[in-house]
Amino acid sequence: MIKSQKEKIQRVLAGLFSIGAFLALWQWAVVSTTLGQLMPGPITVITSFIQAFSVPIGTCTIQQHVGWSLSRVMIAYLVAAVVGIGLGVLMGWNPKIEAIFKPLYDIIRPIPPIAWIPLSIVWFGLGEMTKYFLIFLSAFSNITLNAYEGAKSVDPVLMGASRMLGANRTQTLLTVVLPASMPFIFAGLQVAISTSWATVVAAEMVRSTEGVGWVIVSAQDTNDMNQTLVGILAIGIVGFILATIMRGVETRLCKWNKSE
Amino acid sequence: MESNPKVRVNHLTKKFGDLLVLDDISFDIPEGELLCVVGPTGCGKTTFLNSLTKLYDITSGEILVNNEPVNLKKQNLAYIFQENSTMPWLNVEQNVSFGLDIKKVPEKEKKERVEEFLDIVGLTPFRKYYPSQLSSSMLQRVAIARAFATKPELLLMDEPYGQLDIELRFKLEDELVKLWQKTKTTVFFITHNIEEAVYLGQKIMILTNKPTKVKKVLDNPLPRPRDITSPDFIDLRNQVTDLIKWW
């Protein structure tokens, strides 16, 4: 117990050290090289970031921009999680469902979400639906693939054991296939939360007036590198928090997967 | 042939393509019997068991449990595999309860049975442990408790102790005898270990090399607890060894 706490502290310190070293290198590069003519240093960016909590960028403060982006990500991500886990597990478990959906999925999977922008505007217009759709696509792809792999890799002995105990197909799906796939599903959810958060920037390039993606895109229009970095910092911090929350949920729900 | 056996196997034949594995096997198992099946390595013992339980489709013949064709949903059968078959996401208590959940046993009865069988296999102190925290012998005890907790009409065991060391094997064999005597379950126990078959079996069925037939069924009248060093035990073990020899 003491050892694990010590290890945790060491890990946090190592992480803080690498972040500190990165910021120091950035600051040095801005002060000592021509990079300073192109972009601000970390102190300026962090100060602007803190100021953005009270001084609006466009029509919203930074926390309101984050709120907008987060709501878009979470709505699309949750829909992608439900559809992706359902489809992936069913494809991995049932050869007939796999035969019907897997080829179509394999064609859609490698297409990058931003390639869908023109088509999604035609389908859904310039409103929120297009943004949800693009984020959905980026999350759906990873979640489905991992759920599929999870269901495919269920130990046949466990399936046989449940069948021998009298389980019907639905019981086997719910009591064996789904829980056995959980570590894979969580790995997919982890990757998907990052890709969704990354895709929100592309999605908010499609006519929006709020969101962290808009903060970056509008800064590009005005050559405001400081605002660009404030937007990037917001994306990084929120992405880190989301990934940490997801890891916590996984640790709690899949504690059986870690031997002590 | 028995007049009303628990299990009746009539002319069971199993082919994989042109390969004949099980060749016209017939036998009965009376209710409450502990039958051990031994045969040379690779003779098709597991195929035999998987055919009995319909995990494999049989080529011809019939298998009756209580005079009805095998139906896993209707009949209460349990199977203990060679490999670890505990559910890794469930703790010991939940694993023992797994079959009872499947069979929708009422909550009160389920709790009582889980307590009873956790106690019998000595895992009550480990009830909250996950399989990843248990040793191989403890995992097999969880599988055994899970199987017995469902009070099966027929318990099929496929070399369940094959991967354990000799000391643990003896311990679990004694535990199995204790459970069998207490529950009067009909047990079909497959092993390649002749000593194990003589130690456990009320009867010993000896299989031939492929294509597999029943070579002989021996009665085992040795009193329990059995002494593996007694002359009678050694004599019976030698008899089985002679019958199993194919060289």
Side-chain angles (χ1 to χ4, degrees):
Chain A
M1 191 69 180
I2 291 164
K3 196 183 169 195
S4 93
Q5 264 183 350
K6 199 178 164 189
E7 279 171 1
K8 262 186 197 169
I9 292 166
Q10 280 175 344
R11 277 223 302 272
V12 170
L13 287 175
L16 288 174
F17 173 77
S18 71
I19 293 168
F22 170 73
L23 293 176
L25 184 69
W26 178 7
Q27 182 66 26
W28 171 82
V30 166
V31 172
S32 312
T33 71
T34 52
L35 193 68
Q37 293 163 19
L38 301 171
M39 61 184 283
I43 296 168
T44 314
V45 173
I46 291 168
T47 309
S48 302
F49 180 74
I50 294 165
Q51 280 173 353
F53 279 89
S54 50
V55 181
I57 301 172
T59 55
C60 303
T61 55
I62 193 70
Q63 65 270 32
Q64 288 168 325
H65 285 297
V66 167
W68 272 103
S69 298
L70 208 51
S71 71
R72 286 169 183 145
V73 166
M74 291 324 290
I75 289 168
Y77 177 79
L78 287 175
V79 175
V82 172
V83 178
I85 293 170
L87 182 65
V89 169
L90 288 173
M91 282 197 307
W93 173 67
N94 187 318
K96 282 181 190 158
I97 296 175
E98 183 185 17
I100 295 167
F101 291 104
K102 188 78 185 351
L104 181 62
Y105 169 74
D106 282 340
I107 292 169
I108 292 172
R109 187 168 64 91
I111 303 170
I114 48 172
W116 291 91
I117 289 177
L119 208 54
S120 59
I121 292 172
V122 172
W123 286 343
F124 305 114
L126 291 164
E128 290 299 297
M129 213 34 212
T130 294
K131 298 174 185 68
Y132 294 146
F133 178 68
L134 295 172
I135 300 164
F136 167 85
L137 281 175
S138 75
F140 168 79
S141 179
N142 290 307
I143 294 170
T144 308
L145 183 64
N146 277 267
Y148 168 76
E149 293 295 341
K152 272 276 175 201
S153 63
V154 177
D155 185 348
V157 171
L158 302 185
M159 308 267 271
S162 100
R163 202 182 141 196
M164 285 308 306
L165 288 163
N168 58 33
R169 282 179 65 77
T170 312
Q171 281 176 316
T172 303
L173 175 67
L174 296 176
T175 60
V176 179
V177 178
L178 199 56
S181 308
M182 273 302 163
F184 285 83
I185 290 172
F186 267 100
L189 290 171
Q190 275 273 16
V191 177
I193 197 81
S194 303
T195 56
S196 301
W197 193 237
T199 307
V200 79
V201 177
E204 284 169 354
M205 288 164 87
V206 183
R207 198 194 162 275
S208 60
T209 52
E210 66 294 297
V212 284
W214 175 86
V215 170
I216 293 169
V217 173
S218 68
Q220 189 188 1
D221 293 342
T222 55
N223 281 329
D224 186 344
M225 192 57 87
N226 193 29
Q227 187 179 315
T228 302
L229 289 167
V230 167
I232 287 173
L233 185 60
I235 289 173
I237 291 171
V238 176
F240 174 77
I241 293 169
L242 289 176
T244 306
I245 292 170
M246 191 58 79
R247 265 201 302 278
V249 174
E250 181 186 6
T251 307
R252 201 170 171 76
L253 289 181
C254 296
K255 59 182 173 186
W256 55 270
N257 203 29
K258 312 262 186 286
S259 53
E260 286 171 18
Chain B
M1 286 240 170
E2 295 276 331
S3 58
N4 196 16
K6 187 76 191 171
V7 181
R8 170 158 287 169
V9 176
N10 278 330
H11 307 291
L12 170 64
T13 300
K14 172 69 186 170
K15 285 181 181 174
F16 288 106
D18 291 334
L19 179 68
L20 180 61
V21 179
L22 305 178
D23 184 13
D24 195 25
I25 292 176
S26 298
F27 65 91
D28 287 347
I29 310 177
E31 179 145 20
E33 186 168 271
L34 199 169
L35 173 72
C36 280
V37 182
V38 281
T41 304
C43 76
K45 295 189 288 289
T46 300
T47 304
F48 186 33
L49 202 55
N50 287 342
S51 302
L52 273 181
T53 54
K54 291 221 167 158
L55 286 178
Y56 291 162
D57 291 328
I58 60 173
T59 307
S60 64
E62 65 172 354
I63 302 156
L64 305 173
V65 175
N66 291 334
N67 289 319
E68 286 181 33
V70 175
N71 181 337
L72 297 177
K73 290 189 184 69
K74 204 169 155 194
Q75 290 151 341
N76 190 4
L77 271 58
Y79 191 132
I80 297 172
F81 296 80
Q82 280 180 48
E83 306 89 349
N84 169 28
S85 65
T86 56
M87 306 297 166
W89 55 91
L90 302 178
N91 63 28
V92 168
E93 187 177 15
Q94 291 164 333
N95 259 294
V96 175
S97 169
F98 183 81
L100 304 172
D101 292 328
I102 295 283
K103 292 176 193 303
K104 298 188 170 68
V105 172
E107 202 60 33
K108 188 170 173 283
E109 192 184 342
K110 190 167 74 184
K111 276 187 181 159
E112 284 168 4
R113 284 207 224 170
V114 170
E115 293 302 324
E116 181 187 352
F117 286 95
L118 276 178
D119 184 43
I120 291 173
V121 297
L123 288 175
T124 307
F126 305 97
R127 60 195 310 152
K128 298 294 177 196
Y129 281 49
Y130 285 94
S132 61
Q133 299 169 299
L134 303 177
S135 66
S136 306
S137 74
M138 288 164 105
L139 292 172
Q140 268 320 45
R141 278 149 74 190
V142 175
I144 289 166
R146 181 179 68 188
F148 273 102
T150 61
K151 302 209 165 156
E153 298 173 74
L154 175 63
L155 175 62
L156 304 142
M157 303 178 84
D158 182 11
E159 303 202 35
Y161 310 139
Q163 291 168 19
L164 303 179
D165 65 45
I166 193 158
E167 194 187 333
L168 287 170
R169 216 181 63 214
F170 277 130
K171 201 173 166 211
L172 291 186
E173 284 167 2
D174 284 337
E175 217 161 62
L176 173 66
V177 171
K178 201 166 73 182
L179 275 164
W180 168 66
Q181 287 172 329
K182 188 177 159 67
T183 58
K184 309 281 182 232
T185 301
T186 309
V187 180
F188 188 90
F189 190 105
I190 284 199
T191 178
H192 67 274
N193 185 322
I194 296 167
E195 192 170 78
E196 186 171 60
V198 177
Y199 190 75
L200 290 175
Q202 201 175 7
K203 279 188 185 159
I204 303 162
M205 181 189 287
I206 296 131
L207 302 178
T208 65
N209 234 329
K210 260 188 216 131
T212 307
K213 287 174 175 286
V214 176
K215 191 167 193 180
K216 192 158 189 179
V217 179
L218 290 175
D219 279 319
N220 184 351
L222 297 175
R224 293 182 199 274
R226 287 174 179 164
D227 176 7
I228 59 166
T229 59
S230 75
D232 289 343
F233 188 98
I234 294 167
D235 185 48
L236 185 57
R237 194 186 66 194
N238 290 341
Q239 269 188 62
V240 177
T241 308
D242 288 338
L243 283 164
I244 219 168
K245 275 181 184 167
W246 68 95
W247 56 90

